[in-house]
Amino acid sequence: GHRKGKGPPMGAVVGVPRPKGVTVAAVMWAAIAALLGFLTLRAYLTGGGVLRVSGMMALLTATLAVLVSRGSRWGQGLQLLILVLGLLAFPFTFVAVILLGYMTRAETVSYFKRRVEGPRWDTPRTWSKGEWPWLLGLVAATGLSAIFLALMLALLRTHPNL
Protein backbone atom coordinates (compact mmCIF):
# COMPACT_ATOMS: atom_id res chain seq x y z
CA GLY A 1 0.00 0.00 0.00
CA HIS A 2 0.98 3.60 0.27
CA ARG A 3 1.41 5.92 3.21
CA LYS A 4 -1.05 8.69 3.93
CA GLY A 5 -0.04 12.00 2.43
CA LYS A 6 2.57 10.54 0.10
CA GLY A 7 0.24 10.02 -2.87
CA PRO A 8 -0.17 6.80 -4.82
CA PRO A 9 2.86 4.64 -5.50
CA MET A 10 4.27 4.44 -9.02
CA GLY A 11 2.13 2.18 -11.14
CA ALA A 12 -0.87 4.21 -12.20
CA VAL A 13 -3.95 3.67 -10.09
CA VAL A 14 -3.81 2.08 -6.64
CA GLY A 15 -5.45 -1.33 -6.58
CA VAL A 16 -5.57 -1.71 -10.38
CA PRO A 17 -3.29 -4.32 -11.95
CA ARG A 18 -0.53 -3.38 -14.35
CA PRO A 19 -1.08 -4.19 -18.04
CA LYS A 20 0.20 -7.65 -19.02
CA GLY A 21 2.30 -6.21 -21.85
CA VAL A 22 4.08 -3.89 -19.42
CA THR A 23 4.81 -6.89 -17.19
CA VAL A 24 6.18 -8.82 -20.18
CA ALA A 25 8.36 -5.85 -21.20
CA ALA A 26 9.72 -5.51 -17.64
CA VAL A 27 10.52 -9.24 -17.51
CA MET A 28 12.29 -8.99 -20.88
CA TRP A 29 14.41 -6.06 -19.65
CA ALA A 30 15.21 -7.98 -16.45
CA ALA A 31 16.29 -11.02 -18.50
CA ILE A 32 18.52 -8.81 -20.66
CA ALA A 33 20.00 -7.29 -17.49
CA ALA A 34 20.71 -10.75 -16.07
CA LEU A 35 22.37 -11.85 -19.32
CA LEU A 36 24.49 -8.70 -19.46
CA GLY A 37 25.41 -9.14 -15.80
CA PHE A 38 26.49 -12.71 -16.50
CA LEU A 39 28.55 -11.62 -19.50
CA THR A 40 30.16 -8.85 -17.43
CA LEU A 41 31.09 -11.30 -14.69
CA ARG A 42 32.41 -13.80 -17.21
CA ALA A 43 34.52 -11.11 -18.92
CA TYR A 44 35.85 -10.00 -15.54
CA LEU A 45 36.80 -13.53 -14.50
CA THR A 46 38.46 -14.36 -17.83
CA GLY A 47 40.15 -10.99 -18.24
CA GLY A 48 38.48 -10.24 -21.58
CA GLY A 49 35.67 -8.19 -22.97
CA VAL A 50 34.56 -4.65 -22.41
CA LEU A 51 33.64 -4.58 -18.73
CA ARG A 52 32.54 -0.97 -18.41
CA VAL A 53 30.17 -1.08 -21.36
CA SER A 54 28.50 -4.39 -20.48
CA GLY A 55 28.36 -3.48 -16.79
CA MET A 56 26.71 -0.12 -17.51
CA MET A 57 24.28 -1.74 -19.93
CA ALA A 58 23.38 -4.35 -17.29
CA LEU A 59 22.76 -1.59 -14.75
CA LEU A 60 20.71 0.43 -17.25
CA THR A 61 18.50 -2.49 -18.25
CA ALA A 62 18.00 -3.57 -14.63
CA THR A 63 16.96 -0.01 -13.75
CA LEU A 64 14.68 0.08 -16.77
CA ALA A 65 13.03 -3.19 -15.73
CA VAL A 66 12.23 -1.76 -12.29
CA LEU A 67 11.00 1.58 -13.64
CA VAL A 68 8.76 -0.03 -16.27
CA SER A 69 7.31 -2.54 -13.82
CA ARG A 70 6.52 0.27 -11.37
CA GLY A 71 4.76 2.37 -14.03
CA SER A 72 7.28 5.21 -13.95
CA ARG A 73 7.07 7.86 -16.66
CA TRP A 74 10.87 7.84 -16.68
CA GLY A 75 10.74 4.12 -17.41
CA GLN A 76 8.31 4.65 -20.25
CA GLY A 77 10.41 7.45 -21.77
CA LEU A 78 13.70 5.59 -21.41
CA GLN A 79 12.17 2.45 -22.89
CA LEU A 80 10.81 4.37 -25.86
CA LEU A 81 14.23 5.95 -26.48
CA ILE A 82 15.95 2.55 -26.36
CA LEU A 83 13.30 1.03 -28.63
CA VAL A 84 13.77 3.76 -31.24
CA LEU A 85 17.52 3.02 -31.19
CA GLY A 86 16.65 -0.70 -31.33
CA LEU A 87 15.00 -0.13 -34.69
CA LEU A 88 18.52 0.29 -36.08
CA ALA A 89 19.76 -3.06 -34.73
CA PHE A 90 18.39 -5.52 -37.30
CA PRO A 91 17.74 -8.63 -35.20
CA PHE A 92 15.73 -6.57 -32.70
CA THR A 93 13.80 -4.41 -35.17
CA PHE A 94 10.64 -6.54 -34.98
CA VAL A 95 10.59 -6.54 -31.18
CA ALA A 96 11.22 -2.78 -31.12
CA VAL A 97 8.37 -2.12 -33.58
CA ILE A 98 5.89 -4.22 -31.57
CA LEU A 99 6.90 -2.70 -28.22
CA LEU A 100 6.88 0.85 -29.63
CA GLY A 101 3.36 0.32 -30.94
CA TYR A 102 2.20 -1.23 -27.67
CA MET A 103 3.82 1.35 -25.38
CA THR A 104 2.45 4.32 -27.33
CA ARG A 105 -1.17 3.14 -27.60
CA ALA A 106 -3.68 5.10 -25.54
CA GLU A 107 -4.53 2.21 -23.21
CA THR A 108 -0.90 1.64 -22.18
CA VAL A 109 -0.09 5.35 -21.94
CA SER A 110 -3.01 5.74 -19.50
CA TYR A 111 -1.21 3.34 -17.15
CA PHE A 112 1.97 5.42 -17.07
CA LYS A 113 0.09 8.73 -16.84
CA ARG A 114 -2.09 7.41 -14.00
CA ARG A 115 -5.30 8.27 -15.85
CA VAL A 116 -8.59 6.86 -14.69
CA GLU A 117 -10.70 8.30 -17.52
CA GLY A 118 -10.48 7.55 -21.24
CA PRO A 119 -9.10 4.32 -22.75
CA ARG A 120 -8.06 1.91 -20.00
CA TRP A 121 -5.87 -1.17 -20.09
CA ASP A 122 -7.78 -3.00 -17.36
CA THR A 123 -11.23 -3.30 -18.95
CA PRO A 124 -12.41 -6.65 -20.37
CA ARG A 125 -12.92 -5.06 -23.80
CA THR A 126 -9.37 -3.76 -23.90
CA TRP A 127 -7.86 -7.04 -22.70
CA SER A 128 -9.71 -9.27 -25.16
CA LYS A 129 -9.30 -6.98 -28.16
CA GLY A 130 -6.15 -5.05 -27.35
CA GLU A 131 -3.63 -6.90 -25.20
CA TRP A 132 -3.64 -10.39 -26.69
CA PRO A 133 -2.67 -9.43 -30.26
CA TRP A 134 0.20 -7.31 -28.92
CA LEU A 135 1.41 -10.07 -26.60
CA LEU A 136 1.25 -12.70 -29.34
CA GLY A 137 3.02 -10.32 -31.72
CA LEU A 138 5.71 -9.71 -29.11
CA VAL A 139 6.26 -13.45 -28.63
CA ALA A 140 6.46 -13.98 -32.40
CA ALA A 141 8.82 -11.02 -32.87
CA THR A 142 11.07 -12.21 -30.03
CA GLY A 143 11.21 -15.70 -31.53
CA LEU A 144 12.01 -14.29 -34.96
CA SER A 145 14.73 -12.08 -33.47
CA ALA A 146 16.24 -15.08 -31.67
CA ILE A 147 16.28 -17.07 -34.92
CA PHE A 148 17.91 -14.19 -36.84
CA LEU A 149 20.49 -13.70 -34.10
CA ALA A 150 21.31 -17.43 -33.99
CA LEU A 151 21.67 -17.52 -37.78
CA MET A 152 23.91 -14.45 -37.76
CA LEU A 153 26.12 -15.90 -35.02
CA ALA A 154 26.36 -19.25 -36.86
CA LEU A 155 27.31 -17.42 -40.04
CA LEU A 156 29.99 -15.42 -38.22
CA ARG A 157 31.44 -18.60 -36.71
CA THR A 158 31.61 -20.44 -40.03
CA HIS A 159 32.74 -17.37 -42.02
CA PRO A 160 34.71 -15.16 -39.61
CA ASN A 161 35.95 -12.83 -42.36
CA LEU A 162 32.49 -11.50 -43.29
Side-chain angles (χ1 to χ4, degrees):
H2 68 283
R3 292 179 295 196
K4 194 171 187 175
K6 294 286 184 179
M10 284 190 285
V13 183
V14 176
V16 179
R18 130 180 14 104
K20 303 292 186 231
V22 172
T23 301
V24 170
V27 168
M28 288 175 66
W29 287 118
I32 292 169
L35 176 64
L36 288 169
F38 170 76
L39 293 174
T40 301
L41 180 63
R42 182 175 162 214
Y44 175 76
L45 294 175
T46 61
V50 184
L51 293 175
R52 288 185 184 146
V53 173
S54 62
M56 290 302 292
M57 287 176 62
L59 183 60
L60 175 69
T61 54
T63 302
L64 183 58
V66 170
L67 290 174
V68 167
S69 72
R70 303 271 325 264
S72 164
R73 289 185 188 181
W74 281 96
Q76 181 192 27
L78 183 59
Q79 176 171 263
L80 292 175
L81 175 67
I82 290 172
L83 290 173
V84 167
L85 296 174
L87 291 173
L88 304 174
F90 171 69
F92 306 107
T93 300
F94 301 114
V95 173
V97 166
I98 296 290
L99 272 177
L100 274 170
Y102 177 79
M103 288 296 174
T104 57
R105 71 191 194 111
E107 291 85 355
T108 306
V109 169
S110 72
Y111 171 74
F112 288 98
K113 292 194 174 181
R114 299 176 171 93
R115 285 196 314 235
V116 292
E117 70 284 339
R120 291 285 302 264
W121 69 95
D122 59 339
T123 61
R125 180 196 58 78
T126 302
W127 172 250
S128 64
K129 293 185 180 175
E131 291 268 315
W132 277 111
W134 289 104
L135 293 173
L136 293 174
L138 185 58
V139 167
T142 302
L144 191 58
S145 294
I147 290 169
F148 281 140
L149 195 57
L151 290 172
M152 289 170 55
L153 290 173
L155 185 62
L156 286 174
R157 285 188 182 154
T158 58
H159 298 84
N161 295 328
L162 285 179

